[in-house]
Amino acid sequence: MNSNEKLQQVVAEIPFPVIFGFIPWGHHVEIITKCKDLDEALFYVRKTIEEGWSRNALDNCIRADFYHTSGSAVTNFSDKFPVPQGRLAQELLKGNYDFGFVMLPEKYDEEALETAIEQRMTRFLLELGEGWAFVGRQKEIIVSGKTRKIDLLFYHIYLRCYVVLELKVKPFDPEFAGKLNFYVNAVNEFIRRESDNPTIGLLICKDMDRTEVQLAFQGITTPMSVATYDNVKIQEIQEYLPTAEQIQQQIEIAEEEYKLNLQKKDVHEDA
């Protein structure tokens, strides 16, 4: 008996709680057939009810392994927020984000990654989770007469705060924390309203060492977190090369231009 069959048997033996009735049958099928154990299944049952997930949203969250990745970002929230708000903020951020919806050349840079994410913003918002609203890319802030630009700026409806999101295509470096801290403070100073909670900084980088992140956070008073990303799809080099048809077309164009030039030359010599 495989794991899915065992899970279905366990679920079948559990008394049917009233709360399960709030989830459509199709959602139950997704959960029973795709979750590996009972704890994971119950997690998605609870989240479906709390977040009002559609079946498609539920499927995407299961595929993104939201059960294992949610709440695992490295943060300093416990020191910067009241307990309820800090716990909620921690739960809403993942430790790793699946960028499988992005396709880029092998040696892509941060600008290319930002552009790809902006073009697939609806999919990126789904990966971030519930309650995220996109404010802008390269959001401009003037500080002491100098223009500063934030990679991506969001507003989180549930937390009622802005979220500064910085992207790095290389592993975490302690200097990243200082730059993120600067942007968070700038948003608090020039964008945040009195009704908003303190701004959060989120850095998503290629890789990180948790000890380095924790040391970099010491002495920083703003709420910040660091997570990683993976699964960017690399475009094959063939996609950048012309096809046989395109090459043939260019040859035909060159031949026509050559013949035309010869005709013009003959007319000029006759004249």
Side-chain angles (χ1 to χ4, degrees), residues 35-102:
C35 293
K36 298 179 178 61
D37 55 53
L38 182 59
D39 288 339
E40 183 178 2
L42 292 176
F43 169 84
Y44 286 113
V45 168
R46 178 174 62 84
K47 280 295 183 183
T48 297
I49 295 171
E50 290 177 351
E51 310 294 349
W53 284 344
S54 65
R55 185 173 178 180
N56 185 56
L58 170 64
D59 176 64
N60 284 323
C61 288
I62 294 175
R63 291 177 182 274
D65 199 18
F66 189 67
Y67 172 65
H68 291 102
T69 59
S70 63
S72 56
V74 181
T75 75
N76 60 358
F77 293 164
S78 61
D79 299 328
K80 312 306 175 188
F81 282 128
V83 174
Q85 186 182 4
R87 184 182 297 117
L88 176 60
Q90 183 75 50
E91 289 179 357
L92 291 171
L93 299 182
K94 301 179 182 181
N96 186 76
Y97 291 88
D98 184 354
F99 283 4
F101 58 92
V102 172

Side-chain angles (χ1 to χ4, degrees), residues 9-240:
Q9 180 179 340
V10 171
V11 172
E13 295 173 352
I14 297 176
F16 198 82
V18 175
I19 196 171
F20 279 21
F22 291 101
I23 302 178
W25 174 246
H27 289 60
H28 284 295
V29 172
E30 290 288 327
I31 293 171
I32 291 173
T33 57
K34 295 181 179 178
C35 293
K36 298 179 178 61
D37 55 53
L38 182 59
D39 288 339
E40 183 178 2
L42 292 176
F43 169 84
Y44 286 113
V45 168
R46 178 174 62 84
K47 280 295 183 183
T48 297
I49 295 171
E50 290 177 351
E51 310 294 349
W53 284 344
S54 65
R55 185 173 178 180
N56 185 56
L58 170 64
D59 176 64
N60 284 323
C61 288
I62 294 175
R63 291 177 182 274
D65 199 18
F66 189 67
Y67 172 65
H68 291 102
T69 59
S70 63
S72 56
V74 181
T75 75
N76 60 358
F77 293 164
S78 61
D79 299 328
K80 312 306 175 188
F81 282 128
V83 174
Q85 186 182 4
R87 184 182 297 117
L88 176 60
Q90 183 75 50
E91 289 179 357
L92 291 171
L93 299 182
K94 301 179 182 181
N96 186 76
Y97 291 88
D98 184 354
F99 283 4
F101 58 92
V102 172
M103 182 174 287
L104 292 168
E106 184 174 1
K107 295 183 179 180
Y108 62 89
D109 57 16
E110 280 143 20
E111 182 179 359
L113 180 59
E114 282 181 37
T115 300
I117 286 176
E118 184 180 32
Q119 292 172 346
R120 300 294 307 278
M121 183 53 66
T122 299
R123 179 61 184 82
F124 184 52
L125 288 171
L126 182 60
E127 175 62 19
L128 288 174
E130 295 290 327
W132 293 76
F134 179 51
V135 176
R137 175 193 174 194
Q138 291 296 304
K139 179 66 175 178
E140 185 177 285
I141 298 180
I142 306 298
V143 181
S144 298
K146 298 180 181 178
T147 298
R148 307 289 183 176
K149 294 184 178 180
I150 298 169
D151 287 352
L152 299 166
L153 184 63
F154 295 85
Y155 191 87
H156 203 285
I157 298 170
Y158 300 157
L159 294 172
R160 290 185 293 124
C161 71
Y162 285 98
V163 180
V164 173
L165 197 159
E166 287 289 299
L167 292 171
K168 296 296 179 183
V169 298
K170 55 185 179 180
F172 176 82
D173 188 288
E175 68 180 22
F176 298 161
K179 184 177 181 181
L180 182 59
N181 180 55
F182 175 86
Y183 285 143
V184 170
N185 287 326
V187 170
N188 281 333
E189 182 70 22
F190 300 107
I191 298 179
R192 176 193 170 201
R193 296 158 297 185
E194 290 185 5
S195 58
D196 296 325
N197 285 319
T199 303
I200 291 175
L202 171 59
L203 172 71
I204 300 180
C205 54
K206 187 62 179 175
D207 197 6
M208 67 171 168
D209 180 274
R210 298 179 72 91
T211 301
E212 282 192 342
V213 175
Q214 290 167 350
L215 287 174
F217 279 176
Q218 289 184 17
I220 290 179
T221 59
T222 55
M224 292 168 45
S225 62
V226 177
T228 58
Y229 74 89
D230 57 19
N231 291 339
V232 169
K233 295 179 181 178
I234 303 300
Q235 294 172 335
E236 298 293 336
I237 190 171
Q238 286 81 0
E239 296 184 24
Y240 298 97

